[in-house]
Amino acid sequence: MKELTRPPRLAPGARVAVVAPSGPVPEERLQAGLDVLRGWDLDPVVAPHVLDRHARFDYLAGTDADRAADLQAAWCDPSVDAVLCARGGYGVQRMADLLDWEAMRAVGPKVFVGFSDITALHEAFATRLGLVTLHGPMAAGVDFLKNARAQDHLRATLFAPETVRTIASGGRALTGGRARGVLLGGCLCLLAAELGSPLARPSAAGGLLCLEDVGEETYRLDRYLTQLLRAGWLDGVHGVLLGSWDRCESYDRVRELLVDRLGGLGVPVAEEFGFGHCEGALTIPFGVAAELDADAGTLTLDEPALR
C-alpha cells in the first residue's frame, strides 16, 4: 500500500465548502457549525442542496444527482481550499458513481473531511484521486459542535499539522506490539458494504486499518468482520486501530467479539483509540504512513497530515 498525496494545509481566510453527500442536515446545527468555522477565520460557503430533503426517502439530503453535483462543484471550484461534509447518515453509495472522477482528479489536491457514511468517499478519494483525506468531525455534527477536543484536534490538523504528528489516544492494547503501514479505514459496516464496488480498494494489505461503528448489534459487527475476513480483505494488514462503538452493546461484549475475529490476524491491535462516533473524536489522516504502538496507545505519523 502506497502513501497518498497530501493536500496543502489551510491558512486564515481559506474558503471551505460544506456539502451533504448523505443524510439531511438540521439547519440550526449547520449554522452553529458555520459559526465555529468562521471563528477559525475560515470563509465557509454552503453548497446549494445541503438543506434539501429527498421527496420520497427522507433519510437522504436531496436527490442523488443534486448531492453529487454539490460535491463535484465544490471540489472543482478553484476558490475552494477544502470540502467538509456536514454529516453522515446514509446516501454516499447512491451518489458516488455519479461523480466525474476524471474532472475531480484534474483539479489537484484539496482537503476533504468527514467520517461515518463518508467512509465510502474516503475509499473513492484514495482509489480514484490518490489523495490523503481526514477522518474527522463534520461541520454539523453534534459531537463537533459540543466538544472542544474534537474542534481543537481538527483545527490543529488543518492549520498546523506538524503539531499533531503523534496522536496519543489514551487507549490500550488488545494485542500488543508495534506496526508500520499506511492509514485507511472508517466505519466497519461501510467497509464491508463496499467490498467489490468499483470505488473501493481491493485489500487492506500493508495498511494500518482504523475501524469503528455506531448503533450495531454484536451479531452484525460479527457479520461485517467475518465478511472482510472471508473475502481476504484483511490478509496482509499490518495493524488495527479500534475507535468507538457508540450505541452498540456493552463494550465488554463488543470487545469479546473483536478479540475473537481480529486476534487471529497476528498483528498489533489498539483499542479505544478515540476516533469515530464519540465525544472528542480525534482526526485521523487516511493515506499517511505511520507507526502504531499498541502498548503505548500512540500513532506517530511519518509526515504531517497536510503539506
Side-chain angles (χ1 to χ4, degrees):
M1 185 172 295
K2 297 180 180 179
E3 297 177 64
L4 304 179
T5 299
R6 295 178 299 142
R9 69 186 66 196
L10 300 186
R15 173 165 286 188
V16 297
V18 177
V19 300
S22 302
V25 180
E27 185 171 7
E28 66 279 6
R29 279 173 30 192
L30 174 64
Q31 294 305 323
L34 297 176
D35 287 343
V36 172
L37 298 174
R38 293 187 187 105
W40 294 357
D41 200 17
L42 292 171
D43 175 23
V45 294
V46 179
H49 300 284
V50 165
L51 294 175
D52 284 5
R53 188 179 289 262
H54 195 285
R56 289 180 295 138
F57 306 120
D58 62 2
Y59 49 81
L60 299 172
T63 67
D64 300 339
D66 285 343
R67 299 196 317 280
D70 274 3
L71 174 54
Q72 184 164 321
W75 191 263
C76 294
D77 184 339
S79 73
V80 169
D81 301 295
V83 175
L84 279 59
C85 296
R87 62 155 296 192
Y90 169 73
V92 164
Q93 290 179 300
R94 289 179 54 122
M95 54 75 77
D97 295 323
L98 302 179
L99 295 165
D100 185 340
W101 292 102
E102 293 295 330
M104 293 173 67
R105 186 184 299 113
V107 172
K110 293 183 180 185
V111 174
F112 180 75
V113 186
F115 78 106
S116 194
D117 192 52
I118 310 304
T119 296
L121 285 174
H122 285 299
E123 285 285 284
F125 273 65
T127 60
R128 293 303 173 96
L129 305 184
L131 293 182
V132 166
T133 54
L134 301 181
H135 183 278
M138 294 180 281
V142 173
D143 294 326
F144 173 64
L145 297 176
K146 295 183 176 181
N147 194 282
R149 186 176 90 150
Q151 293 182 14
D152 292 345
H153 197 254
L154 176 59
R155 184 178 186 179
T157 303
L158 293 174
F159 288 98
E162 68 281 351
T163 67
V164 285
R165 284 275 300 276
T166 297
I167 301 173
S169 69
R172 56 185 178 174
L174 196 70
T175 304
R178 296 189 178 196
R180 295 184 53 80
V182 176
L183 289 158
L184 76 157
C187 195
L188 172 59
C189 67
L190 266 296
L191 292 170
E194 279 288 282
L195 279 178
S197 76
L199 299 180
R201 73 190 80 209
S203 170
L208 294 178
L209 177 61
C210 300
L211 296 175
E212 62 93 30
D213 217 317
V214 60
E216 295 283 3
E217 295 184 50
T218 303
Y219 83 89
R220 293 176 185 265
L221 298 175
D222 189 330
R223 178 194 297 154
Y224 306 143
L225 288 168
T226 300
Q227 184 177 5
L228 294 176
L229 288 164
R230 293 181 68 218
W233 198 79
L234 295 177
D235 293 352
V237 70
H238 285 183
V240 181
L241 296 81
L242 300 171
S244 63
W245 307 95
D246 187 47
R247 286 178 280 159
C248 297
E249 295 186 61
S250 72
Y251 185 62
D252 286 344
R253 177 70 167 156
V254 173
R255 188 177 192 270
E256 185 178 23
L257 170 70
L258 296 171
V259 170
D260 179 83
R261 295 286 75 194
L262 300 176
L265 293 175
V267 301
V269 180
E271 63 178 336
E272 298 182 303
F273 215 85
F275 62 87
H277 295 79
C278 59
E279 289 189 14
L282 300 169
T283 298
I284 307 292
F286 289 167
V288 174
E291 180 176 84
L292 167 67
D293 185 332
D295 299 292
T298 59
L299 180 70
T300 303
L301 308 179
D302 285 7
E303 295 181 298
L306 307 175
R307 292 188 280 112

